[in-house]
Short mmCIF file of all heavy atoms in Angstrom, two decimals:
data_model
loop_
_atom_site.label_atom_id
_atom_site.label_comp_id
_atom_site.label_asym_id
_atom_site.label_seq_id
_atom_site.Cartn_x
_atom_site.Cartn_y
_atom_site.Cartn_z
N SER A 21 97.62 109.40 111.39
CA SER A 21 96.52 109.94 112.22
C SER A 21 97.08 111.29 112.71
O SER A 21 98.25 111.34 113.16
CB SER A 21 96.28 108.97 113.30
OG SER A 21 95.31 109.54 114.17
N VAL A 22 96.26 112.28 112.66
CA VAL A 22 96.59 113.62 113.16
C VAL A 22 95.40 114.21 113.84
O VAL A 22 94.25 114.04 113.35
CB VAL A 22 97.24 114.49 112.01
CG1 VAL A 22 96.27 114.79 110.91
CG2 VAL A 22 97.80 115.78 112.60
N ALA A 23 95.62 114.91 114.91
CA ALA A 23 94.48 115.54 115.63
C ALA A 23 93.78 116.43 114.67
O ALA A 23 94.38 117.25 113.90
CB ALA A 23 95.01 116.34 116.86
N ALA A 24 92.46 116.43 114.81
CA ALA A 24 91.60 117.21 113.87
C ALA A 24 90.80 118.30 114.65
O ALA A 24 89.85 118.92 114.10
CB ALA A 24 90.62 116.32 113.04
N GLY A 25 91.14 118.52 115.84
CA GLY A 25 90.48 119.64 116.67
C GLY A 25 89.43 119.11 117.58
O GLY A 25 89.07 117.99 117.63
N PRO A 26 88.95 120.04 118.42
CA PRO A 26 87.93 119.68 119.38
C PRO A 26 86.65 119.26 118.68
O PRO A 26 86.35 119.64 117.56
CB PRO A 26 87.67 120.99 120.13
CG PRO A 26 88.46 122.06 119.52
CD PRO A 26 89.35 121.50 118.49
N GLU A 27 85.94 118.34 119.37
CA GLU A 27 84.62 117.83 118.77
C GLU A 27 84.83 117.07 117.46
O GLU A 27 83.88 116.78 116.85
CB GLU A 27 83.70 118.99 118.60
CG GLU A 27 83.50 119.95 119.76
CD GLU A 27 82.57 119.34 120.81
OE1 GLU A 27 81.63 118.64 120.50
OE2 GLU A 27 82.82 119.72 121.98
N ARG A 28 86.13 116.69 117.19
CA ARG A 28 86.34 115.89 115.96
C ARG A 28 87.21 114.72 116.32
O ARG A 28 88.07 114.79 117.17
CB ARG A 28 87.09 116.72 114.96
CG ARG A 28 86.37 117.93 114.36
CD ARG A 28 85.32 117.59 113.36
NE ARG A 28 85.72 116.79 112.22
CZ ARG A 28 85.95 117.28 111.01
NH1 ARG A 28 85.91 118.50 110.77
NH2 ARG A 28 86.24 116.45 110.05
N ALA A 29 86.96 113.62 115.57
CA ALA A 29 87.92 112.39 115.73
C ALA A 29 89.14 112.86 114.93
O ALA A 29 89.10 113.72 114.13
CB ALA A 29 87.27 111.27 115.16
N PRO A 30 90.27 112.08 115.19
CA PRO A 30 91.50 112.46 114.41
C PRO A 30 91.25 112.10 112.97
O PRO A 30 90.41 111.26 112.57
CB PRO A 30 92.51 111.48 114.99
CG PRO A 30 91.94 110.84 116.20
CD PRO A 30 90.48 111.06 116.15
N LEU A 31 91.95 112.79 112.05
CA LEU A 31 91.96 112.54 110.62
C LEU A 31 92.84 111.29 110.49
O LEU A 31 93.96 111.21 111.03
CB LEU A 31 92.53 113.60 109.77
CG LEU A 31 92.75 113.39 108.33
CD1 LEU A 31 91.42 113.28 107.57
CD2 LEU A 31 93.60 114.48 107.74
N VAL A 32 92.38 110.29 109.88
CA VAL A 32 93.20 109.05 109.66
C VAL A 32 93.15 108.78 108.10
O VAL A 32 92.08 108.57 107.57
CB VAL A 32 92.64 107.86 110.43
CG1 VAL A 32 93.47 106.62 110.13
CG2 VAL A 32 92.61 108.14 111.89
N VAL A 33 94.27 108.73 107.47
CA VAL A 33 94.35 108.45 106.07
C VAL A 33 95.47 107.61 105.70
O VAL A 33 96.60 107.52 106.45
CB VAL A 33 94.57 109.86 105.22
CG1 VAL A 33 93.26 110.70 105.44
CG2 VAL A 33 95.77 110.58 105.65
N PRO A 34 95.46 106.86 104.61
CA PRO A 34 96.60 106.01 104.16
C PRO A 34 97.67 106.92 103.56
O PRO A 34 97.31 107.97 102.94
CB PRO A 34 95.98 105.08 103.09
CG PRO A 34 94.75 105.80 102.57
CD PRO A 34 94.21 106.66 103.67
N ILE A 35 98.97 106.53 103.74
CA ILE A 35 99.97 107.29 103.18
C ILE A 35 101.13 106.46 102.90
O ILE A 35 101.46 105.47 103.58
CB ILE A 35 100.36 108.47 104.12
CG1 ILE A 35 101.22 109.52 103.37
CG2 ILE A 35 101.01 108.01 105.35
CD1 ILE A 35 101.25 110.87 104.11
N TRP A 36 101.90 106.82 101.83
CA TRP A 36 103.21 106.20 101.62
C TRP A 36 104.21 106.95 102.38
O TRP A 36 104.15 108.24 102.58
CB TRP A 36 103.60 106.36 100.10
CG TRP A 36 102.78 105.56 99.13
CD1 TRP A 36 101.92 104.60 99.48
CD2 TRP A 36 102.83 105.54 97.76
NE1 TRP A 36 101.42 103.93 98.37
CE2 TRP A 36 101.95 104.54 97.25
CE3 TRP A 36 103.52 106.28 96.81
CZ2 TRP A 36 101.74 104.38 95.92
CZ3 TRP A 36 103.38 106.13 95.47
CH2 TRP A 36 102.50 105.08 95.02
N TYR A 37 105.24 106.32 102.92
CA TYR A 37 106.29 106.93 103.72
C TYR A 37 107.62 106.24 103.45
O TYR A 37 107.67 105.14 102.80
CB TYR A 37 105.89 106.74 105.22
CG TYR A 37 105.98 105.36 105.74
CD1 TYR A 37 107.17 104.87 106.23
CD2 TYR A 37 104.98 104.42 105.51
CE1 TYR A 37 107.42 103.51 106.62
CE2 TYR A 37 105.11 103.11 105.90
CZ TYR A 37 106.26 102.64 106.40
OH TYR A 37 106.44 101.33 106.75
N ALA A 38 108.69 106.83 103.96
CA ALA A 38 110.05 106.22 103.83
C ALA A 38 110.67 106.27 105.25
O ALA A 38 110.44 107.23 105.98
CB ALA A 38 110.86 106.91 102.80
#
Side-chain angles (χ1 to χ4, degrees):
S21 178
V22 61
E27 311 281 328
R28 296 286 304 260
L31 173 70
V32 179
V33 294
I35 195 162
W36 290 352
Y37 69 93

